[in-house]
Amino acid sequence: QVPLLKSGGGLVQPGGSLRVSCAASRSMFNINNMGWYRQAIGKEREFVAQITSGGTTSYADFARGRFTISRDNAKNTVYLQLNSLNPEDTGFYYCYAGAYYKDSDAQNDYWGLGIQVTVSS
């Protein structure tokens, strides 16, 4: 059982859209912030967006206006809608959640496996 189960991603043409998501394990609880980072080949991992448990969102400058982060607290799932994609958005997208997991007695950040997003014609 993994803390965060990824889904979505794939290949899309420039200007297209994709949605990626991560569902938290049933063993994860008191989930606070959830969000996304991304990493292109040969580049450092960079922040994309975050959403608090109350729904407050924040975005990187490159994401604002094109990407939308949301979450379903009933499903403990975070989504990232990617619109108006361009080749520079190609990379692996990683979700994270600040939460308690299984028998941990402190909140930690847990990460999902990378979701590949390729923007190419």
Side-chain angles (χ1 to χ4, degrees), residues 20 82 120:
V20 294
L82 310 169
S120 175

Side-chain angles (χ1 to χ4, degrees), residues 61-77:
D61 287 343
F62 67 81
R64 194 173 295 111
R66 297 191 300 130
F67 299 172
T68 302
I69 189 171
S70 61
R71 65 190 283 173
D72 184 334
N73 289 332
K75 297 180 179 179
N76 286 338
T77 299

Side-chain angles (χ1 to χ4, degrees), residues 16 19 21 23 53 59 82 90 97 101 108-109 112 114 120:
R19 190 175 81 159
S21 64
S53 57
Y59 294 92
L82 310 169
T90 295
Y101 182 60
N108 291 297
D109 285 339
S120 175

Side-chain angles (χ1 to χ4, degrees), residues 1-57:
Q1 189 182 48
V2 296
L4 292 162
L5 184 63
K6 62 173 184 173
S7 65
L11 173 65
V12 65
Q13 292 186 343
S17 298
L18 281 175
R19 190 175 81 159
V20 294
S21 64
C22 276
S25 161
R26 293 181 179 180
S27 298
M28 189 172 287
F29 56 99
N30 288 352
I31 300 173
N32 191 2
N33 297 338
M34 303 183 82
W36 296 89
Y37 275 69
R38 72 180 187 181
Q39 186 169 21
I41 294 176
K43 295 186 177 181
E44 295 186 352
R45 189 175 294 193
E46 61 180 349
F47 170 77
V48 178
Q50 177 175 281
I51 185 167
T52 69
S53 57
T56 300
T57 59

Side-chain angles (χ1 to χ4, degrees), residues 72-111:
D72 184 334
N73 289 332
K75 297 180 179 179
N76 286 338
T77 299
V78 62
Y79 305 93
L80 185 66
Q81 178 68 39
L82 310 169
N83 295 331
S84 301
L85 287 164
N86 58 62
E88 291 69 38
D89 296 315
T90 295
F92 286 88
Y93 286 69
Y94 299 87
C95 65
Y96 68 89
Y100 292 78
Y101 182 60
K102 292 187 176 180
D103 58 355
S104 66
D105 57 1
Q107 178 171 285
N108 291 297
D109 285 339
Y110 295 90
W111 292 85

